[in-house]
Amino acid sequence: MPADNGPREERVAGPLAGLKVLELARILAGPWAGQTLADLGADVVKVESPEGDDTRSWGPPFVPAADGGDLSAAYFHACNRGKRSVVADFTTEEGRALVRRLAANADVLIENFKVGGLAGYGLDYASLSEINPRLVYASITGFGQDGPYAARAGYDFLIQGMGGAMSVTGDPDGQPTKTGYAVADLFSGLYATIGILAALRRRDITGSGAWIDCALLDSQVAVLANQALNYLVSGEVPTRRGNAHPNIVPYEVFPAADGHVIIAVGNDGQFRRLCEAIGVPALGATELYATNALRVAHRATLVPAIAARTIALTRAELLAQLEAATVPAGPINDIGEVFADAQVRHRAMHADLPAPHARDGIIPGVRTPIAIDGTPMMHPAPSPRVGEHQRDVAEDPDWG
């Protein structure tokens, strides 16, 4: 049963205050877009099945509840902050009627069902735009609304493979490798958010809503960026280079006496300062390495020459010398070290949100990395329990 208790929540201020977003999305890409809009001040109502979003069970770890149970998996809390939850069973007329009523008063609807999946319920764009012509309706799918793959289900792992990302990620002698987080889903959520904001701006001018077609494969191909253009300009297919950069040298991981560091030289002046800092100024003056194009052409001799010097220094010594020389360099932090980092702490990227129903009274969060006029954009409310706001939303005059 929905956890329907508690008073009506006050909505937060923000640049999107007053915007009403109906989220019929689950897993990651759609909820990521919804959370971003909530952090910016929108009122996001998440419609869940009676069982709740799939990611509520994607643990461990789970957030411990004050009553001894749990408040869903950490995964769920990564992308559902600041939303209100209601339950609707689309297989019943009551559930469909609730969604239609909310959609009639919404500014934005986000869904990530399979192509045509909502049409059978009368909850597709064509049906809902008839009752709300101003509705901006964002559909996020694996492959888009048309094309030979449109009917397929899309998963981030598959998309990273199909979209070329894995072909340029990993050791040249090892397996193609995916990223350690769902980059296709996350970029799709952000592109959907951009599309939503653009459609709202257009609605300000025309008065009409829009249907946004956002595909994971499209998004993954789009963010191939320089790798895509390397191929399109040269005709040469990029390959896996491990930590080396296809277009810049030296720009990779180098050994130290007690581990590894990243050195990211972006111009000729930085290269010369690098060579001076590691005690080989003559290397920086060598004509063979005078420009980046030459360094790329001769990386096979240059990189080992630099590595032979860096390995004689500890990580701390090497990083200190490079910082003093204003050469871009840094450590390879694990995630625990990330949240202990002085800059990350200063920027308050980790923020605990008050949650009376949690065992410790809080649920951890990572804020959206947007600050406007010095104010970080992060909704102060944690992720909701299933159906927690059923009555709250039903009685909200803004939602009719």
Side-chain angles (χ1 to χ4, degrees):
M1 293 295 291
D4 181 18
N5 49 28
R8 178 173 181 250
E9 293 183 357
E10 294 298 323
R11 308 319 302 154
V12 300
L16 298 184
L19 190 75
K20 299 186 292 297
V21 178
L22 186 63
E23 184 186 294
L24 309 184
R26 59 208 187 282
I27 316 297
L28 185 54
W32 195 255
Q35 179 173 271
T36 303
L37 295 172
D39 280 343
L40 292 169
D43 178 8
V44 180
V45 172
K46 182 179 183 71
V47 179
E48 302 189 67
S49 71
E51 296 77 28
D53 189 306
D54 301 41
T55 60
R56 288 184 180 275
S57 64
W58 284 13
F62 296 89
V63 173
D67 63 6
D70 71 72
L71 297 178
S72 299
Y75 195 122
F76 176 80
H77 294 282
C79 51
N80 287 287
R81 173 177 60 243
K83 302 173 186 178
R84 297 193 283 175
S85 172
V86 300
V87 168
D89 182 349
F90 294 176
T91 66
T92 68
E93 178 51 37
E94 180 184 13
R96 296 190 294 271
L98 172 60
V99 175
R100 285 194 294 269
R101 178 173 69 81
L102 296 175
N105 293 282
D107 297 291
V108 175
L109 186 148
I110 302 169
E111 62 93 3
N112 61 352
F113 283 73
K114 291 181 182 179
V115 171
L118 289 176
Y121 301 121
L123 303 178
D124 56 320
Y125 175 69
S127 300
L128 295 182
S129 64
E130 288 187 1
I131 62 176
N132 183 358
R134 291 174 55 82
L135 182 65
V136 172
Y137 189 111
S139 295
I140 304 175
T141 58
F143 299 96
Q145 296 296 312
D146 50 33
Y149 303 160
R152 295 186 186 179
Y155 293 91
D156 178 271
F157 191 5
L158 297 176
I159 299 299
Q160 288 194 44
M162 295 178 69
M166 291 176 63
S167 75
V168 293
T169 306
D171 188 88
D173 299 321
Q175 285 189 342
T177 304
K178 70 178 181 67
T179 61
Y181 53 95
V183 64
D185 274 334
L186 296 171
F187 271 118
S188 297
L190 292 175
Y191 275 124
T193 302
I194 294 167
I196 288 166
L197 296 175
L200 289 169
R201 178 69 182 99
R202 191 185 73 172
R203 190 185 73 174
D204 291 342
I205 300 169
T206 67
S208 297
W211 187 17
I212 297 167
D213 175 6
C214 186
L216 269 66
L217 183 60
D218 295 353
S219 298
Q220 179 62 81
V221 173
V223 299
L224 291 175
N226 60 299
Q227 292 282 30
L229 267 293
N230 288 345
Y231 166 69
L232 294 173
V233 169
S234 71
E236 296 181 10
V237 176
T239 59
R240 299 192 304 281
R241 294 180 176 273
N243 290 311
H245 196 287
N247 302 108
I248 311 171
V249 174
Y251 197 101
E252 58 187 272
V253 172
F254 285 90
D258 58 348
H260 296 85
V261 299
I262 296 168
I263 298 176
V265 166
N267 58 54
D268 299 338
Q270 290 175 357
F271 173 66
R272 290 190 293 272
R273 295 198 300 275
L274 165 67
C275 294
E276 292 170 1
I278 61 175
V280 282
L283 193 66
T286 301
E287 188 63 29
L288 198 62
Y289 308 131
T291 67
N292 181 69
L294 287 170
R295 293 191 292 274
V296 170
H298 298 286
R299 74 165 77 219
T301 56
L302 176 58
V303 169
I306 295 171
R309 302 296 300 186
T310 63
I311 200 168
L313 301 168
T314 67
R315 288 176 296 177
E317 290 168 341
L318 182 55
L319 290 173
Q321 290 178 205
L322 295 181
E323 183 173 358
T326 64
V327 175
I332 301 171
N333 291 331
D334 63 31
I335 292 179
E337 290 167 330
V338 168
F339 286 105
D341 183 272
Q343 183 67 18
V344 175
R345 290 171 65 88
H346 175 80
R347 298 290 289 179
M349 289 303 299
H350 166 204
D352 291 330
L353 303 175
H357 301 292
R359 185 186 65 190
D360 300 324
I362 58 96
I363 295 176
V366 179
R367 73 170 177 87
T368 291
I370 299 171
I372 298 178
D373 293 334
T375 301
M377 295 291 103
M378 181 175 181
H379 199 290
S383 306
R385 293 171 293 160
V386 179
E388 180 178 351
H389 304 94
Q390 202 82 15
R391 185 180 62 202
D392 183 14
V393 172
E395 298 174 354
D396 190 334
D398 291 339
W399 286 87

